[in-house]
Every structure is written in C-alpha cells, then in structure tokens.
Amino acid sequence: VSRTLAEHDWIARLVRRLGPARAPVRLGPGDDAAVLRVGGVDLLVTVDALVEGVHFRRGWLSPRALGVRAFRVNASDLAAMGARPVAAVVALEVPRGTPAALLDGMVAGFVADARRHRAALVGGNLTAGPRLAITVTMLGRAPGRIVTRAGARPGDRVFVTGELGHTAIAVRRRARLPALPDRVAAGVRLARVAGAMIDVSDGLVQDLGHVAHASGVRIRIDAARVPVAAACRRALGARATTFAATAGEDYELVATVPPARIGVLARAGLGCRLREIGVVEDGPPGILLVGRDGRPMRLARGGFDHLRS
Ligand SMILES: [Mg+2]
C-alpha cells in the first residue's frame, strides 16, 4: 500500500485544520485565489512556483520566456476569478554559479509582462538553493464580479478558451515550451457572465472536477468538442483528445455560463477562441468525458498530482 498522499487530499486536510474564514478573509483556501477585504476593497492573492526539473529544464525556454511564464501562471489564477494583476513579489532560489544574465533575462520577461498589465514588481527575496525555482505571490483586483468555483448550476453550458495540450506535448517531445496564453482580458469579460470559472493548470478533467465538487454538480464534457492543439493531433492521433483533456500547464480558462447569459457572451469579444464543450447536470459531483459513441471514456489519470506523478 502506498503511503504517498495525493496532493488534493493533503490540501483538503490542511484546509479543515485551518477552520472557517474570519474577517478580513472573504474567501479562504480552495479557489484559484483568496479574497481579502482591506480598506473596503477586495484584494485577491495567489502564489505559484516554477521549479527546475519539475516545471521546466533550462534548455526548454529562454530566461526571458521563463520570466514571462512565471508571471502568467500567477496572472492566470487571478484571471480565473475575473481579476487583473496589481502587484507581485518574487522569491528566487538560485544555484551557486548561475550567470547574472540568466536572472536579468528572467526578470526582464517578468517585468515586461507586468508592465503590459500596469502591475508592479514590488519586492522579493533571493536565496541560494540546489536548483532554480521562481515563486511568485501576486495580488489582484477585480473590476467587476469575482467568480469562484462554486457557482456552476445544472443547465449551465461549459466553455473553454484557446486549445489544450500545447505544453504537455512539448514536454513529451522534449521540445521548447510554447508561450503561455495571456487570458487576463478574457477572464475579466467571462466574469460578467460566468457562474463558475477555473484555469486549466492540472488538466481540464481534474480542474473542472474541482468546479463540480465545489458546486455540487456533475459536468458532462463532449470529448469531440474539446479543442485539441494541432501538435497533439499530429503526434497522438486518436489518443490526442484524452491526452489534451488530462494534460497540465495549459493555463486556459474554463467557465460555466447560464443559458440566459450566452447571448451576452457571444457579444463580449474575448480576443481568443472560445469553444462550448459540455453541460452542467444534476448528479453526483464529478466529470463525465463522453466519447463519440455517447459512452463515458475511461481515463488512465485525471490530471497532474504533484505528490504522486
Ligand atoms: Mg488555478
């Protein structure tokens, strides 16, 4: 019997120990970001890390692209709640002998992306460590509604931005990592109509599973409608859909939208592809990925688990 704890079981246990949220916490652990009410303003806070050997290898992307990636994985969590980045602090763990040019490039990429969003890098920490790791804490504000994972209702339609599988197929082929999408503008616009939203960081099936459990609903995904990256189709053929539906690190957004608001969505102009892939149903919380024959597909794994994979 494995004594290894699954990532999300461990997190659930920790959250139980922390107990219920009290002011100024409006939303505690369990969503893409926490929400604090400070001076009458809702401030969102999230943290994410990129670790050499886990999320990337040096040859997979330039220092600048690594900096951009560090910004976007965090901005993605804010976007998933309808918020924009405001400020960030960065903790760097750096092996001795790392060239200054690598760190300069990384920071340049991070700051360039931050400037585009009028967000500020306001501090950080640097320590020696066995491998390169970039941990970003990001603060954000929502110009409109804050959308959580808990608002999906039976009858809602499920939409996903962009295409899935880009990063995972690059990792499998040991190719350069593709640039992550910037979905901040799309997230703010989706928040006007979405019941629930999450970003796809650990795989569509696993991440939508969090929405299903937080909302107490079953979500049916039509596998034929899942937007699969062309590189996945070329490399994997018939297996591309299940690969893309369980692949991590896409950082696209998936949202549930009540039917009455779909018309608004069509006029919103997200600046990226949006594909309807399924429907929210009454039923035991979970995900059904339904194949062309109308039957649920079996998945070898639901998505990425940092404590097991
Ligand atoms: Mg997230």
Side-chain angles (χ1 to χ4, degrees), residues 128-150:
R131 56 190 176 176
L132 187 60
I134 309 127
T135 303
V136 177
T137 301
M138 195 173 274
L139 301 175
R141 282 188 65 182
R145 292 174 64 227
I146 292 173
V147 182
T148 70
R149 300 173 177 182

Side-chain angles (χ1 to χ4, degrees), residues 122-270:
V122 293
N125 184 60
L126 191 149
T127 175
R131 56 190 176 176
L132 187 60
I134 309 127
T135 303
V136 177
T137 301
M138 195 173 274
L139 301 175
R141 282 188 65 182
R145 292 174 64 227
I146 292 173
V147 182
T148 70
R149 300 173 177 182
R153 299 289 174 262
D156 289 358
R157 303 305 154 100
V158 182
F159 292 86
V160 65
T161 60
E163 293 173 332
L164 303 175
H166 282 294
T167 293
I169 197 68
V171 169
R172 172 176 281 219
R173 298 154 102 198
R174 300 180 179 278
R176 282 180 89 77
L177 291 185
L180 292 181
D182 181 336
R183 297 293 183 235
V184 170
V188 169
R189 287 176 190 157
L190 278 168
R192 295 179 194 155
V193 296
M197 189 153 57
I198 192 168
D199 66 330
V200 183
S201 56
D202 295 327
L204 176 72
V205 169
Q206 181 170 311
D207 290 316
L208 260 181
H210 297 318
V211 170
H213 285 277
S215 301
V217 295
R218 188 168 71 177
I219 299 177
R220 174 184 292 263
I221 306 170
D222 184 350
R225 292 193 185 182
V226 172
V228 178
C232 284
R233 290 217 185 280
R234 281 196 299 273
L236 301 172
R239 291 187 298 119
T241 299
T242 49
F243 178 83
T246 54
E249 310 260 323
D250 285 308
Y251 296 97
E252 295 292 352
L253 298 177
V254 55
T256 66
V257 180
R261 298 196 208 141
I262 288 174
V264 180
L265 179 62
R267 292 190 297 274
L270 297 183

